[in-house]
Amino acid sequence: TSVVSYACISCIMNSSLDVWSNFATLATEDRTYLAFCVDLILFSIFQPFLLEKVYSQSQSNGETKINETMPQIYRVPFVGLMAWLFGVVL
């Protein structure tokens, strides 16, 4: 987590206004950039709800312990999905 935090802070602090305006231009003009931006937003909103539903269904099927809370890493967009797919429980 500290590495990811450092990377995020470093990207935000070290980028200039020109870099952000270039990104905004690309996101509005290039469909690929726009698709990745929309994907990140949608995954941020819906991934925790979907994985919570799957996790509660696995509890009712006896695959995991009853009343065990979902690992917090599953709530992180993309990273949580990969952790869930590979069965990582932190």
Coordinates of all heavy atoms in Angstrom, one line a residue:
T1 N 0.8 -1.2 0.0 CA 0.0 0.0 0.0 C 0.9 1.3 0.0 O 0.5 2.2 -0.6 CB -0.9 0.0 1.2 OG1 -0.7 -1.0 2.1 CG2 -2.3 0.1 0.8
S2 N 2.0 1.2 0.7 CA 2.8 2.4 0.7 C 3.4 2.7 -0.7 O 3.6 3.8 -1.0 CB 3.9 2.3 1.8 OG 4.7 1.2 1.5
V3 N 3.7 1.7 -1.4 CA 4.3 1.8 -2.8 C 3.2 2.5 -3.7 O 3.5 3.4 -4.4 CB 4.8 0.5 -3.3 CG1 5.2 0.7 -4.8 CG2 5.9 -0.1 -2.5
V4 N 2.0 2.0 -3.6 CA 0.9 2.6 -4.4 C 0.7 4.0 -4.0 O 0.5 4.9 -4.9 CB -0.3 1.7 -4.3 CG1 -1.5 2.4 -5.0 CG2 -0.1 0.3 -4.8
S5 N 0.6 4.3 -2.7 CA 0.4 5.6 -2.2 C 1.5 6.5 -2.7 O 1.2 7.7 -3.2 CB 0.4 5.6 -0.7 OG -0.7 4.8 -0.2
Y6 N 2.8 6.1 -2.6 CA 3.9 6.9 -3.1 C 3.7 7.2 -4.6 O 4.0 8.3 -5.1 CB 5.2 6.2 -2.8 CG 6.4 6.9 -3.4 CD1 6.9 8.1 -2.9 CD2 7.0 6.5 -4.6 CE1 7.9 8.8 -3.4 CE2 8.0 7.2 -5.2 CZ 8.5 8.3 -4.6 OH 9.5 9.0 -5.2
A7 N 3.4 6.2 -5.4 CA 3.2 6.3 -6.8 C 2.1 7.3 -7.2 O 2.3 8.2 -8.0 CB 3.0 5.0 -7.5
C8 N 1.0 7.3 -6.5 CA -0.1 8.2 -6.7 C 0.3 9.6 -6.3 O 0.1 10.5 -7.1 CB -1.3 7.8 -5.9 SG -2.1 6.3 -6.5
I9 N 0.9 9.8 -5.2 CA 1.3 11.1 -4.7 C 2.4 11.7 -5.7 O 2.3 12.8 -6.1 CB 1.8 11.1 -3.3 CG1 0.6 10.8 -2.4 CG2 2.5 12.4 -2.9 CD1 1.0 10.6 -0.9
S10 N 3.3 10.8 -6.1 CA 4.4 11.3 -7.0 C 3.8 11.7 -8.3 O 4.2 12.7 -8.9 CB 5.4 10.1 -7.2 OG 6.4 10.5 -8.1
C11 N 2.8 11.0 -8.9 CA 2.2 11.3 -10.1 C 1.5 12.6 -10.1 O 1.5 13.5 -11.0 CB 1.3 10.2 -10.6 SG 2.1 8.8 -11.2
I12 N 0.8 12.8 -9.0 CA 0.0 14.0 -8.8 C 0.9 15.3 -8.6 O 0.7 16.3 -9.2 CB -1.0 13.9 -7.7 CG1 -2.1 12.9 -8.1 CG2 -1.7 15.2 -7.3 CD1 -3.0 12.5 -7.0
M13 N 1.9 15.1 -7.7 CA 2.7 16.2 -7.4 C 3.7 16.6 -8.5 O 4.0 17.8 -8.7 CB 3.5 15.9 -6.1 CG 2.6 15.8 -4.9 SD 1.7 17.2 -4.6 CE 1.5 17.2 -2.9
N14 N 4.2 15.6 -9.2 CA 5.2 15.9 -10.2 C 4.7 16.3 -11.6 O 5.5 16.6 -12.5 CB 6.2 14.7 -10.3 CG 7.0 14.5 -9.1 OD1 7.2 15.5 -8.3 ND2 7.4 13.3 -8.8
S15 N 3.4 16.2 -11.8 CA 2.9 16.5 -13.1 C 2.5 18.0 -13.1 O 2.0 18.6 -12.2 CB 1.7 15.7 -13.4 OG 0.7 15.8 -12.4
S16 N 2.7 18.6 -14.3 CA 2.4 20.0 -14.4 C 1.0 20.2 -15.0 O 0.3 19.3 -15.4 CB 3.5 20.6 -15.4 OG 3.3 20.1 -16.7
L17 N 0.6 21.5 -15.1 CA -0.7 21.8 -15.6 C -0.8 21.4 -17.1 O -1.8 21.0 -17.5 CB -0.9 23.3 -15.4 CG -2.3 23.8 -15.8 CD1 -3.4 23.1 -15.0 CD2 -2.4 25.3 -15.6
D18 N 0.4 21.5 -17.8 CA 0.4 21.1 -19.2 C 0.1 19.6 -19.4 O -0.6 19.2 -20.3 CB 1.8 21.5 -19.8 CG 1.8 21.3 -21.3 OD1 0.9 21.6 -21.9 OD2 2.8 20.7 -21.7
V19 N 0.6 18.8 -18.5 CA 0.4 17.4 -18.5 C -1.1 17.1 -18.3 O -1.7 16.2 -19.0 CB 1.3 16.6 -17.5 CG1 0.9 15.2 -17.5 CG2 2.7 16.8 -17.9
W20 N -1.7 17.7 -17.3 CA -3.1 17.5 -17.0 C -4.0 18.0 -18.1 O -5.0 17.3 -18.5 CB -3.5 18.2 -15.7 CG -3.1 17.4 -14.5 CD1 -2.0 17.7 -13.7 CD2 -3.6 16.2 -14.0 NE1 -1.9 16.7 -12.7 CE2 -2.8 15.8 -12.9 CE3 -4.6 15.3 -14.4 CZ2 -3.1 14.6 -12.2 CZ3 -4.9 14.2 -13.7 CH2 -4.1 13.8 -12.6
S21 N -3.7 19.1 -18.8 CA -4.5 19.6 -19.9 C -4.3 18.7 -21.1 O -5.3 18.4 -21.8 CB -4.1 21.0 -20.2 OG -3.0 21.1 -21.0
N22 N -3.1 18.1 -21.3 CA -2.9 17.2 -22.4 C -3.7 15.9 -22.1 O -4.4 15.3 -23.0 CB -1.4 16.8 -22.5 CG -1.1 15.9 -23.7 OD1 -1.9 15.9 -24.6 ND2 -0.1 15.2 -23.6
F23 N -3.8 15.4 -20.9 CA -4.6 14.3 -20.5 C -6.1 14.5 -20.7 O -6.8 13.7 -21.3 CB -4.4 13.9 -19.1 CG -5.3 12.8 -18.6 CD1 -5.1 11.5 -19.0 CD2 -6.4 13.1 -17.8 CE1 -6.0 10.5 -18.6 CE2 -7.2 12.1 -17.3 CZ -7.0 10.8 -17.8
A24 N -6.5 15.7 -20.3 CA -8.0 16.1 -20.5 C -8.3 16.1 -22.0 O -9.4 15.7 -22.4 CB -8.2 17.4 -19.9
T25 N -7.4 16.7 -22.8 CA -7.6 16.7 -24.3 C -7.7 15.3 -24.8 O -8.6 15.0 -25.6 CB -6.5 17.5 -25.0 OG1 -6.4 18.8 -24.4 CG2 -6.7 17.6 -26.4
L26 N -6.8 14.5 -24.5 CA -6.8 13.1 -25.0 C -8.0 12.3 -24.5 O -8.6 11.6 -25.3 CB -5.5 12.3 -24.5 CG -4.3 12.7 -25.3 CD1 -3.1 12.0 -24.6 CD2 -4.4 12.2 -26.7
A27 N -8.5 12.6 -23.2 CA -9.6 11.9 -22.7 C -10.9 12.3 -23.4 O -11.9 11.5 -23.5 CB -9.8 12.1 -21.2
T28 N -10.9 13.5 -23.9 CA -12.2 14.0 -24.6 C -12.1 13.7 -26.1 O -13.2 13.6 -26.7 CB -12.4 15.5 -24.4 OG1 -11.2 16.2 -24.8 CG2 -12.7 15.8 -22.9
E29 N -10.9 13.5 -26.7 CA -10.9 13.4 -28.1 C -10.6 11.9 -28.5 O -11.0 11.5 -29.6 CB -9.8 14.3 -28.7 CG -10.1 15.7 -28.6 CD -9.0 16.6 -29.1 OE1 -7.9 16.1 -29.5 OE2 -9.2 17.9 -29.0
D30 N -9.9 11.2 -27.7 CA -9.5 9.8 -28.1 C -10.5 8.8 -27.4 O -10.6 8.8 -26.1 CB -8.1 9.5 -27.7 CG -7.5 8.2 -28.2 OD1 -8.3 7.5 -28.9 OD2 -6.4 7.9 -27.9
R31 N -11.1 8.0 -28.1 CA -12.1 7.0 -27.5 C -11.4 6.0 -26.6 O -12.1 5.6 -25.6 CB -12.8 6.3 -28.7 CG -13.7 7.2 -29.5 CD -14.3 6.5 -30.6 NE -15.2 5.4 -30.2 CZ -15.7 4.5 -31.0 NH1 -15.5 4.6 -32.3 NH2 -16.5 3.6 -30.5
T32 N -10.2 5.7 -26.8 CA -9.5 4.7 -26.0 C -9.3 5.3 -24.6 O -9.5 4.6 -23.6 CB -8.2 4.2 -26.6 OG1 -8.4 3.8 -27.9 CG2 -7.5 3.2 -25.8
Y33 N -8.8 6.5 -24.5 CA -8.6 7.2 -23.3 C -9.9 7.3 -22.5 O -10.0 7.1 -21.3 CB -7.9 8.6 -23.5 CG -6.4 8.5 -23.5 CD1 -5.8 8.2 -24.7 CD2 -5.7 8.9 -22.4 CE1 -4.4 8.2 -24.8 CE2 -4.3 8.9 -22.5 CZ -3.7 8.5 -23.7 OH -2.3 8.5 -23.8
L34 N -10.9 7.7 -23.2 CA -12.2 7.9 -22.6 C -12.7 6.6 -22.1 O -13.3 6.6 -21.0 CB -13.2 8.5 -23.6 CG -14.6 8.7 -23.1 CD1 -14.6 9.7 -22.0 CD2 -15.5 9.2 -24.2
A35 N -12.6 5.5 -22.8 CA -13.0 4.2 -22.4 C -12.3 3.8 -21.1 O -13.0 3.3 -20.1 CB -12.8 3.2 -23.4
F36 N -11.0 4.0 -21.0 CA -10.3 3.7 -19.7 C -10.7 4.5 -18.6 O -10.8 4.1 -17.4 CB -8.8 3.7 -19.9 CG -8.2 2.5 -20.6 CD1 -7.8 2.6 -21.9 CD2 -8.2 1.3 -19.9 CE1 -7.2 1.4 -22.5 CE2 -7.7 0.2 -20.5 CZ -7.2 0.2 -21.8
C37 N -11.0 5.8 -18.8 CA -11.5 6.7 -17.7 C -12.8 6.2 -17.2 O -13.1 6.2 -16.0 CB -11.5 8.1 -18.2 SG -9.9 8.9 -18.6
V38 N -13.7 5.9 -18.2 CA -15.1 5.5 -17.8 C -15.0 4.1 -17.1 O -15.7 3.9 -16.1 CB -16.0 5.4 -19.0 CG1 -17.3 4.7 -18.7 CG2 -16.2 6.8 -19.6
D39 N -14.1 3.2 -17.6 CA -14.0 1.9 -16.9 C -13.5 2.1 -15.4 O -14.0 1.4 -14.5 CB -13.0 1.0 -17.6 CG -13.5 0.4 -18.9 OD1 -14.8 0.4 -19.0 OD2 -12.8 -0.2 -19.6
L40 N -12.5 2.9 -15.2 CA -12.0 3.2 -13.9 C -13.1 3.7 -13.0 O -13.3 3.2 -11.8 CB -10.9 4.1 -13.9 CG -10.2 4.4 -12.5 CD1 -9.7 3.1 -11.9 CD2 -9.1 5.4 -12.7
I41 N -13.9 4.6 -13.5 CA -15.0 5.1 -12.6 C -16.1 4.1 -12.4 O -16.5 3.9 -11.2 CB -15.7 6.4 -13.4 CG1 -14.7 7.5 -13.4 CG2 -17.0 6.8 -12.7 CD1 -15.1 8.6 -14.3
L42 N -16.5 3.3 -13.4 CA -17.5 2.3 -13.2 C -17.0 1.2 -12.3 O -17.8 0.7 -11.4 CB -17.9 1.7 -14.5 CG -18.7 2.6 -15.4 CD1 -19.0 2.0 -16.8 CD2 -20.0 3.1 -14.7
F43 N -15.7 0.7 -12.4 CA -15.2 -0.3 -11.6 C -15.1 0.2 -10.1 O -15.4 -0.5 -9.2 CB -13.8 -0.7 -12.0 CG -13.8 -1.9 -12.9 CD1 -14.0 -1.8 -14.3 CD2 -13.8 -3.2 -12.4 CE1 -14.0 -2.9 -15.1 CE2 -13.8 -4.3 -13.2 CZ -13.9 -4.1 -14.6
S44 N -14.8 1.5 -10.0 CA -14.7 2.1 -8.6 C -16.1 2.0 -7.9 O -16.2 1.8 -6.7 CB -14.2 3.5 -8.6 OG -12.9 3.5 -9.2
I45 N -17.1 2.2 -8.7 CA -18.5 2.3 -8.1 C -19.0 0.9 -7.9 O -19.5 0.5 -6.8 CB -19.4 3.1 -9.0 CG1 -18.9 4.6 -9.0 CG2 -20.8 3.0 -8.5 CD1 -19.6 5.4 -10.1
F46 N -19.0 0.0 -8.9 CA -19.7 -1.2 -8.9 C -18.9 -2.5 -8.4 O -19.5 -3.4 -7.9 CB -20.2 -1.6 -10.3 CG -21.3 -0.6 -10.7 CD1 -21.1 0.3 -11.7 CD2 -22.6 -0.7 -10.1 CE1 -22.1 1.2 -12.1 CE2 -23.6 0.2 -10.4 CZ -23.3 1.1 -11.5
Q47 N -17.6 -2.5 -8.4 CA -16.8 -3.6 -8.0 C -17.1 -4.0 -6.6 O -17.3 -5.2 -6.3 CB -15.4 -3.4 -8.3 CG -14.5 -4.6 -7.9 CD -13.0 -4.4 -8.1 OE1 -12.7 -3.9 -9.2 NE2 -12.2 -4.7 -7.2
P48 N -17.1 -3.1 -5.6 CA -17.3 -3.5 -4.2 C -18.7 -4.2 -4.0 O -18.8 -5.2 -3.3 CB -17.2 -2.3 -3.4 CG -16.4 -1.3 -4.3 CD -16.7 -1.7 -5.7
F49 N -19.7 -3.6 -4.7 CA -21.1 -4.2 -4.6 C -21.1 -5.6 -5.2 O -21.7 -6.5 -4.6 CB -22.1 -3.3 -5.2 CG -22.2 -2.0 -4.6 CD1 -21.9 -0.8 -5.3 CD2 -22.6 -1.8 -3.3 CE1 -22.0 0.4 -4.7 CE2 -22.7 -0.6 -2.7 CZ -22.4 0.5 -3.4
L50 N -20.5 -5.8 -6.4 CA -20.6 -7.1 -7.0 C -19.8 -8.1 -6.3 O -20.3 -9.3 -6.1 CB -20.1 -7.0 -8.5 CG -20.9 -6.1 -9.4 CD1 -20.2 -5.9 -10.7 CD2 -22.3 -6.7 -9.6
L51 N -18.6 -7.8 -5.8 CA -17.8 -8.8 -5.1 C -18.5 -9.1 -3.7 O -18.3 -10.2 -3.2 CB -16.4 -8.3 -4.9 CG -15.6 -8.4 -6.2 CD1 -14.1 -7.9 -5.9 CD2 -15.6 -9.8 -6.8
E52 N -19.1 -8.1 -3.1 CA -19.8 -8.4 -1.8 C -20.9 -9.4 -2.0 O -21.1 -10.3 -1.2 CB -20.4 -7.0 -1.3 CG -21.0 -7.2 0.1 CD -20.0 -7.4 1.2 OE1 -19.0 -6.7 1.2 OE2 -20.3 -8.2 2.1
K53 N -21.7 -9.2 -3.2 CA -22.7 -10.2 -3.5 C -22.2 -11.6 -3.7 O -22.7 -12.5 -3.2 CB -23.5 -9.7 -4.7 CG -24.6 -10.5 -5.2 CD -25.8 -10.3 -4.3 CE -27.0 -11.1 -4.9 NZ -28.1 -11.1 -4.0
V54 N -21.1 -11.7 -4.5 CA -20.5 -13.0 -4.7 C -20.0 -13.6 -3.4 O -20.1 -14.8 -3.2 CB -19.4 -12.8 -5.8 CG1 -18.6 -14.1 -5.9 CG2 -19.9 -12.5 -7.1
Y55 N -19.4 -12.7 -2.6 CA -18.8 -13.2 -1.3 C -19.9 -13.7 -0.4 O -19.7 -14.8 0.2 CB -18.0 -12.1 -0.7 CG -17.0 -12.6 0.3 CD1 -15.8 -13.2 0.0 CD2 -17.3 -12.5 1.7 CE1 -14.9 -13.7 0.9 CE2 -16.4 -12.9 2.6 CZ -15.2 -13.5 2.2 OH -14.3 -14.0 3.2
S56 N -21.0 -13.0 -0.4 CA -22.1 -13.5 0.5 C -22.8 -14.8 0.0 O -23.2 -15.6 0.7 CB -23.2 -12.4 0.7 OG -23.8 -12.1 -0.5
Q57 N -22.8 -14.9 -1.4 CA -23.3 -16.1 -1.9 C -22.4 -17.3 -1.6 O -22.9 -18.4 -1.4 CB -23.5 -16.0 -3.4 CG -24.7 -15.2 -3.8 CD -24.9 -15.1 -5.3 OE1 -24.0 -15.4 -6.1 NE2 -26.0 -14.5 -5.7
S58 N -21.1 -17.1 -1.6 CA -20.2 -18.2 -1.3 C -20.3 -18.6 0.1 O -20.1 -19.7 0.5 CB -18.7 -17.8 -1.7 OG -18.3 -16.8 -0.8
Q59 N -20.7 -17.6 1.0 CA -20.9 -17.9 2.4 C -22.1 -18.8 2.6 O -22.2 -19.8 3.3 CB -21.1 -16.7 3.3 CG -19.8 -16.0 3.5 CD -20.0 -14.7 4.4 OE1 -21.1 -14.2 4.5 NE2 -18.9 -14.3 5.1
S60 N -23.2 -18.5 1.8 CA -24.4 -19.3 1.9 C -24.2 -20.7 1.3 O -24.9 -21.6 1.7 CB -25.6 -18.6 1.2 OG -25.4 -18.5 -0.1
N61 N -23.3 -20.8 0.4 CA -23.0 -22.2 -0.2 C -22.0 -22.9 0.7 O -21.7 -24.1 0.3 CB -22.4 -22.0 -1.6 CG -23.4 -21.5 -2.6 OD1 -24.6 -21.6 -2.3 ND2 -23.0 -20.9 -3.7
G62 N -21.5 -22.3 1.7 CA -20.5 -23.0 2.6 C -19.1 -23.0 2.1 O -18.2 -23.7 2.7
E63 N -18.8 -22.2 1.1 CA -17.4 -22.1 0.6 C -16.5 -21.3 1.5 O -15.3 -21.4 1.6 CB -17.4 -21.5 -0.8 CG -18.1 -22.4 -1.8 CD -18.3 -21.7 -3.1 OE1 -17.7 -20.7 -3.4 OE2 -19.2 -22.2 -3.9
T64 N -17.1 -20.3 2.2 CA -16.4 -19.5 3.2 C -17.1 -19.5 4.5 O -18.2 -19.9 4.6 CB -16.2 -18.0 2.7 OG1 -17.5 -17.5 2.5 CG2 -15.4 -18.0 1.4
K65 N -16.4 -19.0 5.6 CA -17.0 -19.0 6.9 C -18.2 -18.0 7.0 O -18.2 -16.9 6.4 CB -16.0 -18.6 7.9 CG -14.9 -19.6 8.1 CD -13.8 -19.0 9.0 CE -12.6 -19.9 9.1 NZ -11.6 -19.4 9.9
I66 N -19.2 -18.4 7.7 CA -20.4 -17.5 7.9 C -20.0 -16.3 8.7 O -19.2 -16.4 9.6 CB -21.6 -18.3 8.6 CG1 -21.9 -19.5 7.7 CG2 -22.8 -17.5 8.8 CD1 -22.5 -19.2 6.4
N67 N -20.6 -15.2 8.4 CA -20.4 -13.9 9.1 C -18.9 -13.4 9.0 O -18.5 -12.6 9.8 CB -20.8 -14.0 10.6 CG -22.2 -14.2 10.8 OD1 -23.0 -13.8 9.9 ND2 -22.6 -14.9 11.8
E68 N -18.2 -13.9 8.1 CA -16.8 -13.4 7.8 C -16.9 -12.3 6.9 O -17.6 -12.3 5.8 CB -16.0 -14.5 7.2 CG -14.5 -14.1 7.0 CD -13.7 -15.3 6.4 OE1 -13.7 -16.4 7.1 OE2 -13.2 -15.1 5.4
T69 N -16.3 -11.1 7.2 CA -16.4 -10.0 6.3 C -15.5 -10.1 5.1 O -14.4 -10.8 5.1 CB -16.0 -8.7 7.1 OG1 -14.7 -8.8 7.5 CG2 -16.9 -8.4 8.2
M70 N -15.8 -9.5 4.0 CA -15.1 -9.5 2.8 C -13.7 -8.8 3.0 O -13.7 -7.7 3.6 CB -15.9 -8.8 1.7 CG -15.2 -8.9 0.3 SD -16.2 -8.3 -1.0 CE -16.1 -6.5 -0.7
P71 N -12.6 -9.4 2.6 CA -11.3 -8.7 2.7 C -11.3 -7.3 2.0 O -11.9 -7.1 1.0 CB -10.4 -9.6 2.0 CG -11.0 -11.0 2.0 CD -12.5 -10.7 1.9
Q72 N -10.7 -6.3 2.7 CA -10.7 -5.0 2.2 C -10.0 -4.8 0.8 O -10.4 -3.9 0.1 CB -10.1 -4.0 3.2 CG -10.9 -3.9 4.5 CD -12.3 -3.3 4.3 OE1 -12.4 -2.4 3.6 NE2 -13.3 -4.0 4.8
I73 N -9.1 -5.7 0.5 CA -8.4 -5.5 -0.8 C -9.4 -5.7 -1.9 O -9.2 -5.2 -3.0 CB -7.2 -6.5 -0.9 CG1 -6.4 -6.1 -2.1 CG2 -7.7 -8.0 -1.0 CD1 -5.1 -6.8 -2.2
Y74 N -10.5 -6.5 -1.7 CA -11.5 -6.7 -2.8 C -12.2 -5.4 -3.1 O -12.9 -5.4 -4.2 CB -12.5 -7.7 -2.3 CG -11.9 -9.2 -2.2 CD1 -12.7 -10.2 -1.8 CD2 -10.6 -9.5 -2.6 CE1 -12.3 -11.5 -1.7 CE2 -10.1 -10.7 -2.5 CZ -11.0 -11.7 -2.0 OH -10.5 -13.0 -1.9
R75 N -12.1 -4.4 -2.3 CA -12.8 -3.1 -2.6 C -12.0 -2.2 -3.5 O -12.5 -1.2 -3.9 CB -13.2 -2.4 -1.3 CG -14.1 -3.3 -0.4 CD -14.5 -2.5 0.8 NE -15.2 -3.4 1.7 CZ -16.5 -3.7 1.6 NH1 -17.2 -3.3 0.6 NH2 -17.0 -4.5 2.5
V76 N -10.7 -2.5 -3.7 CA -9.9 -1.7 -4.5 C -10.1 -2.0 -6.0 O -10.0 -3.1 -6.4 CB -8.4 -1.9 -4.1 CG1 -7.5 -1.0 -5.0 CG2 -8.1 -1.6 -2.7
P77 N -10.4 -1.0 -6.8 CA -10.7 -1.3 -8.2 C -9.6 -2.0 -8.9 O -8.4 -1.6 -8.7 CB -11.0 0.1 -8.8 CG -11.3 1.0 -7.6 CD -10.6 0.4 -6.5
F78 N -9.9 -2.9 -9.7 CA -9.0 -3.7 -10.5 C -8.1 -4.6 -9.7 O -8.0 -5.8 -9.9 CB -8.1 -2.9 -11.5 CG -8.9 -2.1 -12.5 CD1 -9.1 -0.8 -12.3 CD2 -9.4 -2.8 -13.6 CE1 -9.8 -0.1 -13.3 CE2 -10.2 -2.1 -14.5 CZ -10.4 -0.7 -14.4
V79 N -7.4 -4.1 -8.7 CA -6.5 -4.9 -7.8 C -7.4 -5.9 -7.0 O -7.0 -7.0 -6.9 CB -5.8 -3.9 -6.8 CG1 -5.0 -4.8 -5.8 CG2 -4.9 -3.0 -7.6
G80 N -8.5 -5.4 -6.5 CA -9.4 -6.3 -5.7 C -10.0 -7.4 -6.6 O -10.1 -8.6 -6.2
L81 N -10.3 -7.1 -7.8 CA -10.8 -8.1 -8.8 C -9.8 -9.1 -9.0 O -10.1 -10.3 -9.1 CB -11.3 -7.4 -10.0 CG -12.0 -8.3 -11.0 CD1 -13.2 -8.9 -10.5 CD2 -12.3 -7.6 -12.3
M82 N -8.5 -8.7 -9.3 CA -7.5 -9.7 -9.5 C -7.2 -10.5 -8.3 O -7.0 -11.8 -8.4 CB -6.2 -9.0 -9.9 CG -6.3 -8.3 -11.3 SD -6.8 -9.4 -12.6 CE -5.4 -10.5 -12.7
A83 N -7.2 -9.9 -7.1 CA -7.0 -10.7 -5.9 C -8.1 -11.7 -5.7 O -7.9 -12.8 -5.3 CB -7.0 -9.7 -4.7
W84 N -9.4 -11.3 -6.0 CA -10.5 -12.3 -5.9 C -10.4 -13.4 -6.9 O -10.6 -14.6 -6.5 CB -11.8 -11.5 -6.1 CG -13.0 -12.4 -6.1 CD1 -13.6 -13.0 -5.0 CD2 -13.7 -12.8 -7.2 NE1 -14.6 -13.8 -5.4 CE2 -14.7 -13.7 -6.8 CE3 -13.6 -12.6 -8.6 CZ2 -15.7 -14.3 -7.6 CZ3 -14.5 -13.2 -9.4 CH2 -15.5 -14.0 -9.0
L85 N -10.0 -13.1 -8.1 CA -9.8 -14.1 -9.1 C -8.7 -15.1 -8.8 O -8.9 -16.3 -9.0 CB -9.5 -13.5 -10.5 CG -10.6 -12.8 -11.2 CD1 -10.1 -12.0 -12.4 CD2 -11.7 -13.8 -11.6
F86 N -7.6 -14.7 -8.2 CA -6.6 -15.6 -7.8 C -6.7 -16.1 -6.4 O -5.8 -16.9 -5.9 CB -5.2 -14.9 -7.9 CG -4.8 -14.6 -9.4 CD1 -4.7 -13.4 -9.9 CD2 -4.6 -15.7 -10.2 CE1 -4.3 -13.1 -11.2 CE2 -4.3 -15.5 -11.6 CZ -4.1 -14.2 -12.0
G87 N -7.8 -15.7 -5.7 CA -8.0 -16.3 -4.3 C -7.2 -15.7 -3.2 O -6.9 -16.4 -2.2
V88 N -6.7 -14.5 -3.4 CA -5.8 -13.9 -2.4 C -6.7 -13.3 -1.3 O -7.6 -12.6 -1.6 CB -5.0 -12.7 -3.0 CG1 -4.2 -12.0 -1.9 CG2 -4.1 -13.3 -4.1
V89 N -6.4 -13.7 -0.1 CA -7.1 -13.2 1.1 C -6.1 -12.6 2.0 O -5.3 -13.3 2.6 CB -7.9 -14.3 1.8 CG1 -8.7 -13.7 3.0 CG2 -8.9 -14.9 0.8
L90 N -6.2 -11.3 2.3 CA -5.2 -10.6 3.2 C -5.9 -10.2 4.5 O -7.0 -9.9 4.6 CB -4.7 -9.3 2.5 CG -3.9 -9.6 1.2 CD1 -3.4 -8.3 0.6 CD2 -2.7 -10.4 1.5

